[in-house]
Amino acid sequence: MEYDFTYQRDTRQFGLVLAPEYQILATFLVEEFAANGSAITQLLQQLTALTPQDEWRYQGKEFVLEVEQAEVLLQHNSLLHNDASASEQQLLLEEQLQLDEHGLSCHCGLEDFVKLLQDWHSFITE
């Protein structure tokens, strides 16, 4: 997985550029953790303590991170909840509306994800 880190001096915002299929990882890191080095340290500690057989779940504000058999699945909460009432669901069906799931989830290996987190942590704490 290739990535580049950015820092906007005028807005003092950190950013992360990833391939389009992994862009949700960038959104996850920026929106859930921003430049909070201690929160990333805690996440890294939990992830590095996992064995290949372990299952683990992190519920963020907008995202769910799941680890199963050394594979990471990151999903936006909108993919996990179907709270629409029956009448709302019928209206969606009638209007042929669907949730665009593109860019709302991705998979990657745990090792790659941990490396990304370590590099991100180093970047924001320098």
Side-chain angles (χ1 to χ4, degrees):
M1 176 183 328
E2 294 182 21
Y3 43 85
D4 289 313
F5 302 121
T6 62
Y7 179 73
Q8 301 294 326
R9 291 179 189 206
D10 56 335
T11 61
R12 296 187 175 148
Q13 299 266 328
F14 291 94
L16 175 59
V17 179
L18 289 157
E21 64 268 21
Y22 295 112
Q23 189 56 41
I24 189 173
L25 289 174
T27 305
F28 170 72
L29 289 177
V30 170
E31 291 186 12
E32 296 282 339
F33 295 98
N36 187 345
S38 63
I40 295 171
T41 298
Q42 291 174 355
L43 180 61
L44 278 167
Q45 289 171 343
Q46 292 172 328
L47 291 172
T48 56
L50 297 174
T51 66
Q53 297 78 24
D54 286 340
E55 293 182 11
W56 183 79
R57 180 181 173 117
Y58 170 84
Q59 176 64 58
K61 296 174 224 142
E62 292 189 38
F63 300 93
V64 173
L65 176 73
E66 295 178 328
V67 179
E68 186 176 323
Q69 297 182 352
E71 287 293 316
V72 173
L73 170 62
L74 179 65
Q75 298 182 83
H76 190 270
N77 286 338
S78 63
L79 297 178
L80 304 174
H81 302 290
N82 189 4
D83 294 335
S85 68
S87 61
E88 290 171 329
Q89 288 178 357
Q90 183 61 34
L91 179 63
L92 290 174
L93 287 174
E94 288 172 6
E95 295 182 11
Q96 300 292 318
L97 298 177
Q98 297 179 4
L99 176 64
D100 180 10
E101 296 180 12
H102 178 72
L104 295 178
S105 70
C106 77
H107 288 87
C108 68
L110 179 59
E111 186 176 316
D112 288 337
F113 185 66
V114 167
K115 174 78 170 112
L116 171 64
L117 284 175
Q118 290 168 335
D119 291 347
W120 175 253
H121 183 268
S122 295
F123 181 73
I124 65 169
T125 57
E126 289 181 346

